[in-house]
Amino acid sequence: MAFPKKKLQGLVAATITPMTENGEINFPVIGQYVDYLVKEQGVKNIFVNGTTGEGLSLSISERRQVAEEWVRQGKNKLDQVVIHVGALNLKESQELAQHAAEIGADGIAVIAPFFFKSQNKDALISFLREVAAAAPALPFYYYHIPSLTGVKSKSVRAEELLDGIQDKIPSFQGLKFSDTDLLDFGQCVDQNHQRQFALLFGVDEQLLSALVLGATGAVGSTYNYLGKKTNQMLEAFEQKDLASALSYQFRIQRFINYVIKLGFGVSQTKAIMTLVSGIPMGPPRLPLQKATQEFTANAEAKLKSLNFLSFPGLKDGNMEACS
Amino acid sequence: MAFPKKKLQGLVAATITPMTENGEINFPVIGQYVDYLVKEQGVKNIFVNGTTGEGLSLSISERRQVAEEWVRQGKNKLDQVVIHVGALNLKESQELAQHAAEIGADGIAVIAPFFFKSQNKDALISFLREVAAAAPALPFYYYHIPSLTGVKSKSVRAEELLDGIQDKIPSFQGLKFSDTDLLDFGQCVDQNHQRQFALLFGVDEQLLSALVLGATGAVGSTYNYLGKKTNQMLEAFEQKDLASALSYQFRIQRFINYVIKLGFGVSQTKAIMTLVSGIPMGPPRLPLQKATQEFTANAEAKLKSLNFLSFPGLKDGNMEACS
Amino acid sequence: MAFPKKKLQGLVAATITPMTENGEINFPVIGQYVDYLVKEQGVKNIFVNGTTGEGLSLSISERRQVAEEWVRQGKNKLDQVVIHVGALNLKESQELAQHAAEIGADGIAVIAPFFFKSQNKDALISFLREVAAAAPALPFYYYHIPSLTGVKSKSVRAEELLDGIQDKIPSFQGLKFSDTDLLDFGQCVDQNHQRQFALLFGVDEQLLSALVLGATGAVGSTYNYLGKKTNQMLEAFEQKDLASALSYQFRIQRFINYVIKLGFGVSQTKAIMTLVSGIPMGPPRLPLQKATQEFTANAEAKLKSLNFLSFPGLKDGNMEACS
Amino acid sequence: MAFPKKKLQGLVAATITPMTENGEINFPVIGQYVDYLVKEQGVKNIFVNGTTGEGLSLSISERRQVAEEWVRQGKNKLDQVVIHVGALNLKESQELAQHAAEIGADGIAVIAPFFFKSQNKDALISFLREVAAAAPALPFYYYHIPSLTGVKSKSVRAEELLDGIQDKIPSFQGLKFSDTDLLDFGQCVDQNHQRQFALLFGVDEQLLSALVLGATGAVGSTYNYLGKKTNQMLEAFEQKDLASALSYQFRIQRFINYVIKLGFGVSQTKAIMTLVSGIPMGPPRLPLQKATQEFTANAEAKLKSLNFLSFPGLKDGNMEACS
């Protein structure tokens, strides 16, 4: 087969795994979730079982089922469904990669191991290659999050990994870059002359800073509920309307900056998405704990004040209304 | 049932998982390994599938098989076999805990989650309790390693966790304390008035500093091959012969200090154990990489110079007897 | 007096303190250095006695003399001379602030204390206010470098500091933001509605990412020798020629990325500046050590390959020559 | 001259610098402070202008005056007065070293530079040597605090520094080891065969763990007000009464553990010392802020509950009264 069949670009929502109140996976709402992303947020790519999806808090069996359901529900509706198959142990990661291929996913993504950490670039590539080899026909994305996977504050730089990577991992198709080191990110783009790779930025609150450096898309949790606003930013940037793009970015920043101060993580993302989409995301699984009602009330008030709450069927928040 | 049936004390070897050259588990050598620990090192307790055992690099299925084999081979030879059942996801951790009970292990140990980290003591206890509840009749040990599991450099202190823990986790029987914060460790001992808990120190190279604060035992990788020497230190300390105890501690430190400078981890532990015991431990699994020949040669020379290499059947500590 | 007399904007070179081979300050070359910045690099603002200037390795007496010489030599040539007067102790910082006012500097900058660190925003502002009050007529800039001054990985965010700052420090005129957290930086810009403050970015290798978020200028060490190239980037950005701006940024990144891997700090900056400008910068002062000849040779080759070496009188490197 | 004239051993109080309410140094109480240490706490060695003494928050001129006053008041009362002369810049550190010699101090101590950090052992020794050379006849102590002075989490190990140090710094007489890495500390002791060096431990709350490894003394802030209790621990340890020594250590730990949770630093040490000694220590200097009244009330209650508050003239707290 030839890569890439179609390039992953634009916004990619890092999907939440909806759960019932007793902590089991709430499969029935996934179809509704797909429709919401496509129709209300204009987001047609997803990243399943990643950090936001609590992938590493699910059993292997659950990860398989979740992946299957998203692929099934996304059929003919979504452009691409990428499954995160990273795990601490190679065998299960390989099993998940093979499974992703079997169910017809559009790609797999892998995080570097972070209990035992790769001591150098070669060790990391060896690990990634073994996973990729379990699903050689699937586009492979590396999920770069150095704050987690670094070896004693020294992590493998993405730009070094990228150098000659397709000789080692033929299915390599790009990366999710979840870091603020834009020297490293820039040098990834600089290398990517033929634009063969998807270089997806993963720090939602400063996406504009990566767009200007050549990001080809973005993966993040906020695109679940701020996808439409972020798409407006992407369009403004595309049209070189930097003032508008910045105005969108600042509005998004105001929200994220606010919730970070309240304590912001996957639990809180679940509460916000429930609020904005109306689809129940449920509580997170231990060791995470449910967002407090106080958090949810504060987040709701902030969303309203920023004109970010628009329910299905209602007209979207109006830019002019914002200072 | 009543706790404790028998208290875990003295040295506990954190067992290596022996592997073949192609990275599969080498089950047949485990029986020989048990005999070596008991006869040559005087170590009769083991901690299986922990960090040293690459537990988190094994699939759940492999972890079950490894646990079974150690329990089977240790029968009537070892005092206690504790199985580490910690995992990033609660479900698999519970499955492993239940399995440990079924195969007749003597206890289970659990590390705090470290992808999503517990945001506070209550969240951590909630997680641990759910695991413990899957095997309520098995002594439960908490594996405290704050450098890994801490939340943004602020981790839950062990002494806080200990306070009233048996009300929440009735099977709680103690902890492995893998940190150098001896204020925290001391305050664990200080609370342990009735000596009901096993407070096992996990930083081998400074065990003496914890003994003086009341450590009731120790869990570590070096007890696989320096168990005999360390037992001599324990005996000297028991007899208040502090000068001898210190002399043993310094000899052990010289070795560990030396290998740390060369780069010391599980890969290197496997190489050293192969060297000292004569039992092939094999390579580590990815993302770890095999220790270099240079490391092994240097470690061997150091062991010889410290009189630490003594083969089965030969009298210990005899320089001439060493090749 | 009324603020601001003139706003600090564009590139600000963080000046090196030239030294003789025996480690004393080489005052006589400062005049030549001023001319070089203005004529060869197009840089007309300087930041004296900061990190690059080894300000904290100089005695108070030396800091005064260095400040005086830059002010004297810069007269009628430079636009603005800002003196960094930060010190671990308030008294000396105040003395330096007062001295800066006396000699006619255009502003002062202050780093947060970093031995004892400010435990919160109020403590930090109290400290800064005391320094500012020693020179109330001088524009005051806060030098934000959270990796250094943070309290146990939690530092005061710049955007919080900015909120209402002029009520507390009337002479406050802006900040140097030396961090990659562009949420924080963006929210500083977002607050700066009337564009009353200079928001100067301090991470040279990713300046473009901050320009798009509204940086009004930049302070850095590389503007000593890459000022002209960076000014070209600023102009391209100003004209919305993002492709050219990115091309300039990538060329600069290639150089910085290369030297970072060799080990890059003030010692190396001195060697590079000597090489590019022809003005002898001398060795650094202890605890820094002189850059190796190997470093210098490698850096020179890289500069040549990027067409970054152009000696006074020669025509500047030609963009077309670069891939 | 020959080293050592007399060896620094036992407890060394890291002295507070008393201040008036308006933040100036309160010289007149220093004489009373000396008497208190000697008579009430049994502490006859002091470490002046260190962390506890806010040395780095004082101007050079103030540091000189403080040192002079302690030497003057300590004459014929104290055994040894060691002056910390560490500074970020070599010149002022040398000036302070020379001054310490002139006023008749018994030794100088130096912290590694921590703005620019030593990149390796040689660079660190070069810096320390230059300071020592300014006062070649004074015993020189290295103040090892790697959490502050390390280069990107990798600091120079004390045991490496010690190796052959007197060839490079003839006046080297020992170190203050402020870290919990007891492998490093142990290997310092292991090298110190002829017991030529003072190896002083600097983590008060776990001193017993260092005594068993061969610490020859201790430097710390708590010896200002818990010196008597700590001396009792030292005596018990000396007599191999480990149970009593541990009982003393646990009581001390209970206090420190308690105040750490309230937020414990130099500000709080000043409040506690004022409370226990009755001598007014005053507020700290910015950027530190005065301890809250709530802290002081809680600390007082804890001191009472531990029987640690005994005013001059009253009989000391009674061990039997404590559980």
Side-chain angles (χ1 to χ4, degrees):
Chain A
M1 71 158 284
F3 286 110
K5 43 182 185 180
K6 46 181 176 177
K7 189 150 155 227
L8 181 58
Q9 57 191 354
L11 296 188
V12 182
T15 56
I16 293 162
T17 299
M19 293 185 187
T20 61
E21 283 305 315
N22 61 10
E24 297 302 315
I25 296 166
N26 191 357
F27 291 104
V29 305
I30 290 179
Q32 189 182 352
Y33 192 160
V34 168
D35 290 338
Y36 177 81
L37 288 177
V38 174
K39 293 180 190 160
E40 301 300 327
Q41 298 293 346
V43 172
K44 300 190 75 175
N45 300 298
I46 60 173
F47 183 88
V48 173
N49 286 336
T51 300
T52 304
E54 298 173 87
L56 292 161
S57 297
L58 307 179
S59 70
I60 296 301
S61 158
E62 288 175 322
R63 290 175 72 169
R64 296 167 62 114
Q65 294 172 62
V66 170
E68 277 172 44
E69 189 62 15
W70 281 104
V71 169
R72 183 181 307 121
Q73 296 294 340
K75 194 148 201 149
N76 301 323
K77 291 179 176 171
L78 296 173
D79 282 347
Q80 298 211 28
V81 178
V82 174
I83 311 295
H84 176 246
V85 303
L88 293 179
N89 70 86
L90 185 55
K91 295 216 166 187
E92 291 179 343
S93 202
Q94 290 173 319
E95 177 192 330
L96 292 170
Q98 204 174 336
H99 175 259
E102 288 163 11
I103 63 175
D106 299 290
I108 53 171
V110 177
I111 198 172
F114 54 92
F115 179 74
F116 292 126
K117 295 174 182 179
S118 313
Q119 298 295 311
N120 52 54
K121 189 180 98 167
D122 288 346
L124 176 54
I125 288 179
S126 295
F127 184 91
L128 299 177
R129 182 177 46 200
E130 295 295 314
V131 181
L138 268 191
F140 180 95
Y141 301 94
Y142 166 55
Y143 180 3
H144 182 66
I145 176 167
S147 62
L148 182 68
T149 57
V151 182
K152 289 183 182 165
S153 28
K154 186 173 161 294
S155 57
V156 177
R157 288 169 65 79
E159 58 91 9
E160 292 181 359
L161 189 95
L162 226 62
D163 183 26
I165 186 73
Q166 283 190 323
D167 297 340
K168 288 155 189 157
I169 305 178
S171 58
F172 186 89
Q173 282 298 294
L175 52 78
K176 174 182 179 189
F177 189 94
S178 289
D179 193 41
T180 63
D181 178 352
L182 296 177
L183 171 61
D184 190 9
F185 186 70
Q187 287 302 287
C188 289
V189 178
D190 194 17
Q191 275 182 67
N192 191 27
H193 303 300
Q194 286 98 35
R195 300 183 157 272
Q196 68 271 41
F197 297 139
L199 300 176
L200 308 160
F201 196 58
V203 185
D204 305 14
E205 59 269 30
Q206 61 172 80
L207 174 53
L208 184 57
S209 68
L211 289 180
V212 77
L213 290 177
T216 65
V219 184
S221 67
T222 65
Y223 310 134
N224 282 295
Y225 52 90
L226 295 178
K228 193 170 189 171
K229 300 293 174 204
T230 308
N231 271 320
Q232 289 169 329
M233 182 175 81
L234 294 183
E235 286 156 28
F237 181 79
E238 197 65 32
Q239 293 157 18
K240 293 202 179 181
D241 180 358
L242 297 187
S244 293
L246 189 54
S247 174
Y248 283 113
Q249 180 69 95
F250 283 167
R251 278 178 75 207
I252 291 167
Q253 283 198 340
R254 281 176 223 161
F255 178 68
I256 299 180
N257 201 39
Y258 178 77
V259 291
I260 282 176
K261 289 177 190 175
L262 300 179
F264 183 55
V266 169
S267 307
Q268 289 72 31
T269 292
K270 290 187 117 165
I272 295 168
M273 181 63 173
T274 301
L275 198 67
V276 178
S277 71
I279 307 169
M281 293 296 137
R285 187 167 283 182
L286 279 168
L288 296 180
Q289 292 184 304
K290 203 172 176 172
T292 61
Q293 290 197 327
E294 191 193 356
F295 172 86
T296 307
N298 284 325
E300 184 171 11
K302 190 69 179 178
L303 287 164
K304 281 181 181 160
S305 80
L306 288 164
N307 215 3
F308 276 174
L309 261 190
S310 56
F311 295 101
L314 295 183
K315 250 192 90 209
D316 173 49
N318 184 346
M319 265 309 276
E320 288 92 309
C322 297
S323 65
Chain B
M1 72 157 286
F3 286 108
K5 44 184 185 180
K6 49 182 175 177
K7 188 147 155 229
L8 181 58
Q9 58 192 353
L11 296 188
V12 182
T15 56
I16 292 161
T17 299
M19 293 183 186
T20 61
E21 283 305 314
N22 61 10
E24 296 303 315
I25 295 166
N26 191 357
F27 291 105
V29 304
I30 289 180
Q32 190 183 352
Y33 192 160
V34 168
D35 290 338
Y36 177 82
L37 287 177
V38 174
K39 293 181 192 160
E40 301 300 327
Q41 298 293 345
V43 171
K44 299 189 76 175
N45 300 297
I46 60 173
F47 183 88
V48 173
N49 285 336
T51 301
T52 304
E54 296 173 88
L56 292 160
S57 296
L58 306 179
S59 71
I60 296 301
S61 158
E62 289 175 321
R63 288 175 74 169
R64 295 168 62 115
Q65 294 172 61
V66 170
E68 277 172 43
E69 189 63 15
W70 280 103
V71 168
R72 183 181 307 122
Q73 296 295 339
K75 195 149 198 152
N76 302 322
K77 291 178 176 172
L78 296 173
D79 282 346
Q80 298 210 28
V81 177
V82 174
I83 310 295
H84 177 247
V85 303
L88 292 178
N89 71 86
L90 186 54
K91 295 216 167 186
E92 291 179 343
S93 202
Q94 289 173 319
E95 177 192 330
L96 291 171
Q98 204 173 335
H99 175 260
E102 289 163 11
I103 62 174
D106 300 289
I108 53 172
V110 177
I111 198 172
F114 54 92
F115 179 74
F116 293 127
K117 294 173 184 180
S118 311
Q119 297 295 312
N120 52 53
K121 188 181 101 168
D122 288 347
L124 176 54
I125 288 180
S126 295
F127 184 91
L128 298 178
R129 183 176 47 202
E130 294 295 314
V131 181
L138 267 192
F140 180 95
Y141 302 93
Y142 167 54
Y143 180 4
H144 183 66
I145 177 166
S147 61
L148 182 68
T149 58
V151 182
K152 289 182 183 165
S153 28
K154 186 173 161 294
S155 57
V156 176
R157 288 169 65 80
E159 58 91 10
E160 293 180 358
L161 188 95
L162 225 62
D163 183 28
I165 186 72
Q166 283 190 323
D167 297 339
K168 288 154 189 158
I169 305 178
S171 57
F172 186 89
Q173 283 297 294
L175 53 76
K176 174 184 179 188
F177 190 94
S178 289
D179 193 40
T180 63
D181 178 352
L182 296 177
L183 171 62
D184 190 9
F185 185 70
Q187 288 301 286
C188 289
V189 178
D190 193 18
Q191 275 183 65
N192 192 27
H193 302 300
Q194 286 98 35
R195 301 183 156 273
Q196 68 271 42
F197 297 139
L199 300 176
L200 308 160
F201 196 59
V203 186
D204 306 13
E205 58 270 29
Q206 62 171 80
L207 174 54
L208 184 56
S209 68
L211 288 179
V212 77
L213 290 177
T216 65
V219 184
S221 68
T222 65
Y223 310 135
N224 282 296
Y225 53 90
L226 294 179
K228 192 169 189 172
K229 299 292 174 204
T230 309
N231 272 320
Q232 290 169 330
M233 182 177 80
L234 294 183
E235 285 156 29
F237 181 78
E238 196 66 32
Q239 292 158 19
K240 294 201 179 182
D241 180 358
L242 297 186
S244 293
L246 189 54
S247 173
Y248 283 112
Q249 181 69 95
F250 282 167
R251 277 178 76 203
I252 292 167
Q253 283 198 341
R254 279 176 224 162
F255 178 68
I256 300 180
N257 202 39
Y258 178 77
V259 291
I260 282 176
K261 290 178 189 174
L262 300 178
F264 183 55
V266 169
S267 308
Q268 288 71 31
T269 291
K270 290 186 116 163
I272 294 169
M273 182 61 173
T274 302
L275 198 67
V276 178
S277 71
I279 307 169
M281 294 295 137
R285 188 168 281 182
L286 279 168
L288 296 181
Q289 292 183 304
K290 202 171 176 174
T292 61
Q293 290 198 328
E294 190 192 355
F295 171 85
T296 307
N298 283 324
E300 183 171 11
K302 190 69 179 178
L303 286 164
K304 281 181 183 163
S305 80
L306 288 164
N307 216 2
F308 276 173
L309 261 189
S310 58
F311 294 100
L314 295 183
K315 250 191 93 210
D316 173 51
N318 184 344
M319 270 305 278
E320 289 93 314
C322 298
S323 62
Chain C
M1 70 159 285
F3 285 110
K5 42 182 186 181
K6 48 181 176 178
K7 189 149 153 226
L8 181 57
Q9 57 192 355
L11 295 188
V12 183
T15 56
I16 292 162
T17 299
M19 293 184 187
T20 61
E21 284 304 315
N22 61 10
E24 296 302 316
I25 296 167
N26 190 357
F27 291 104
V29 304
I30 289 179
Q32 188 183 353
Y33 191 161
V34 167
D35 290 338
Y36 177 81
L37 287 177
V38 174
K39 293 179 191 161
E40 302 300 327
Q41 298 293 346
V43 171
K44 301 189 74 175
N45 300 298
I46 60 172
F47 183 88
V48 173
N49 285 336
T51 300
T52 304
E54 297 173 86
L56 292 160
S57 297
L58 306 180
S59 72
I60 297 301
S61 157
E62 288 175 321
R63 289 174 73 168
R64 295 168 62 114
Q65 293 173 62
V66 171
E68 279 170 42
E69 189 62 16
W70 281 103
V71 168
R72 183 180 308 122
Q73 296 296 339
K75 194 152 200 151
N76 302 322
K77 292 178 176 172
L78 296 172
D79 282 347
Q80 298 210 27
V81 177
V82 175
I83 310 295
H84 176 247
V85 302
L88 292 179
N89 71 85
L90 186 55
K91 295 218 166 187
E92 291 178 343
S93 202
Q94 289 172 320
E95 177 192 330
L96 290 171
Q98 204 173 334
H99 174 259
E102 288 163 12
I103 62 175
D106 300 289
I108 52 171
V110 177
I111 199 172
F114 54 92
F115 180 74
F116 292 126
K117 295 173 183 180
S118 311
Q119 298 295 311
N120 52 54
K121 189 181 100 168
D122 287 347
L124 176 54
I125 288 179
S126 296
F127 184 91
L128 298 178
R129 182 177 47 202
E130 294 296 315
V131 181
L138 267 192
F140 180 94
Y141 302 93
Y142 167 54
Y143 180 4
H144 182 66
I145 177 167
S147 61
L148 183 68
T149 58
V151 181
K152 289 183 182 166
S153 28
K154 188 175 160 293
S155 58
V156 177
R157 287 169 66 79
E159 57 92 8
E160 293 181 359
L161 189 95
L162 225 62
D163 183 27
I165 186 73
Q166 284 190 323
D167 297 340
K168 289 155 188 156
I169 305 178
S171 57
F172 186 89
Q173 283 299 294
L175 51 78
K176 174 184 179 187
F177 189 94
S178 290
D179 193 41
T180 63
D181 178 352
L182 295 178
L183 170 62
D184 190 9
F185 185 70
Q187 288 301 287
C188 289
V189 178
D190 193 17
Q191 276 182 65
N192 191 28
H193 303 299
Q194 286 98 35
R195 300 184 157 273
Q196 68 271 43
F197 297 138
L199 300 176
L200 308 160
F201 196 59
V203 185
D204 305 14
E205 58 268 31
Q206 61 171 80
L207 174 54
L208 184 56
S209 68
L211 288 179
V212 77
L213 290 176
T216 64
V219 184
S221 67
T222 65
Y223 311 134
N224 282 296
Y225 52 90
L226 295 178
K228 193 168 189 173
K229 299 294 174 203
T230 308
N231 271 321
Q232 290 169 329
M233 182 176 81
L234 295 183
E235 286 156 29
F237 181 79
E238 198 65 34
Q239 292 158 19
K240 293 201 180 182
D241 180 357
L242 298 186
S244 293
L246 188 55
S247 173
Y248 283 112
Q249 181 69 96
F250 283 167
R251 278 178 75 207
I252 292 167
Q253 284 197 341
R254 280 176 223 162
F255 179 67
I256 299 181
N257 201 39
Y258 178 79
V259 290
I260 282 176
K261 289 177 189 175
L262 300 179
F264 183 55
V266 169
S267 308
Q268 289 72 31
T269 292
K270 290 186 115 163
I272 295 169
M273 182 61 173
T274 301
L275 198 66
V276 179
S277 71
I279 306 169
M281 294 295 138
R285 187 168 283 183
L286 279 169
L288 296 181
Q289 292 184 304
K290 202 172 177 174
T292 61
Q293 290 198 327
E294 190 191 357
F295 171 86
T296 308
N298 283 325
E300 183 171 10
K302 189 71 179 176
L303 286 163
K304 280 183 182 159
S305 79
L306 289 163
N307 216 1
F308 276 174
L309 261 191
S310 56
F311 294 100
L314 294 183
K315 252 192 89 206
D316 174 48
N318 184 346
M319 264 310 273
E320 288 92 308
C322 297
S323 64
Chain D
M1 72 159 283
F3 287 108
K5 44 183 184 179
K6 50 183 174 177
K7 188 145 156 233
L8 182 57
Q9 58 191 353
L11 296 188
V12 182
T15 56
I16 293 162
T17 299
M19 293 183 186
T20 62
E21 284 305 314
N22 60 10
E24 296 303 315
I25 295 167
N26 191 356
F27 291 104
V29 304
I30 289 179
Q32 188 183 353
Y33 191 160
V34 168
D35 290 337
Y36 177 81
L37 287 177
V38 174
K39 292 180 191 159
E40 301 300 325
Q41 297 293 346
V43 172
K44 301 189 74 175
N45 300 298
I46 60 172
F47 183 88
V48 173
N49 286 337
T51 302
T52 305
E54 297 174 87
L56 292 161
S57 296
L58 306 179
S59 71
I60 297 301
S61 157
E62 288 175 321
R63 288 175 74 169
R64 295 168 61 113
Q65 293 172 61
V66 170
E68 277 172 43
E69 189 62 15
W70 280 103
V71 168
R72 183 181 307 121
Q73 296 295 340
K75 193 148 199 152
N76 301 322
K77 291 178 176 174
L78 296 173
D79 282 347
Q80 298 210 27
V81 177
V82 175
I83 310 295
H84 177 247
V85 302
L88 292 178
N89 70 85
L90 186 55
K91 294 216 168 187
E92 291 179 342
S93 202
Q94 289 173 320
E95 177 192 330
L96 290 170
Q98 204 174 335
H99 175 259
E102 288 162 11
I103 63 175
D106 300 290
I108 53 172
V110 177
I111 199 172
F114 54 92
F115 179 74
F116 292 126
K117 294 174 183 179
S118 311
Q119 298 294 311
N120 52 53
K121 190 181 99 168
D122 287 347
L124 176 54
I125 288 180
S126 295
F127 185 91
L128 298 178
R129 183 177 46 201
E130 294 296 313
V131 182
L138 267 191
F140 180 95
Y141 301 93
Y142 167 55
Y143 181 3
H144 183 66
I145 177 168
S147 61
L148 182 68
T149 57
V151 181
K152 290 182 180 166
S153 31
K154 188 173 160 294
S155 57
V156 177
R157 288 170 65 79
E159 57 93 8
E160 292 180 359
L161 189 94
L162 225 62
D163 183 27
I165 186 73
Q166 283 189 324
D167 296 340
K168 288 153 188 157
I169 305 179
S171 58
F172 186 89
Q173 283 297 294
L175 51 79
K176 173 183 180 190
F177 189 94
S178 290
D179 193 40
T180 63
D181 177 352
L182 296 178
L183 170 62
D184 190 9
F185 185 70
Q187 288 301 287
C188 289
V189 178
D190 194 17
Q191 276 182 66
N192 191 26
H193 304 300
Q194 286 99 34
R195 301 183 155 273
Q196 69 271 40
F197 297 139
L199 300 176
L200 308 160
F201 196 60
V203 186
D204 305 14
E205 58 269 31
Q206 61 172 80
L207 174 54
L208 184 57
S209 69
L211 288 180
V212 77
L213 289 177
T216 65
V219 184
S221 68
T222 66
Y223 311 134
N224 283 296
Y225 52 90
L226 295 178
K228 192 169 189 172
K229 299 293 174 203
T230 308
N231 271 320
Q232 289 169 329
M233 183 175 81
L234 295 183
E235 286 155 28
F237 181 79
E238 197 65 33
Q239 293 157 20
K240 293 201 178 181
D241 180 357
L242 298 187
S244 293
L246 188 54
S247 173
Y248 283 112
Q249 180 69 94
F250 282 167
R251 279 178 76 206
I252 292 166
Q253 284 198 339
R254 280 176 222 163
F255 179 68
I256 299 180
N257 202 39
Y258 178 79
V259 291
I260 282 176
K261 288 177 190 176
L262 300 178
F264 183 55
V266 169
S267 307
Q268 288 72 31
T269 292
K270 290 186 117 164
I272 294 169
M273 182 61 174
T274 301
L275 198 67
V276 178
S277 70
I279 306 169
M281 294 294 137
R285 187 167 283 183
L286 279 169
L288 296 181
Q289 292 184 303
K290 203 172 176 174
T292 62
Q293 289 198 328
E294 191 192 357
F295 171 86
T296 307
N298 283 325
E300 183 171 11
K302 190 70 179 178
L303 286 163
K304 280 182 181 159
S305 80
L306 289 165
N307 215 2
F308 277 172
L309 261 190
S310 57
F311 293 101
L314 295 183
K315 249 191 95 209
D316 172 49
N318 184 346
M319 265 308 276
E320 288 93 307
C322 299
S323 62

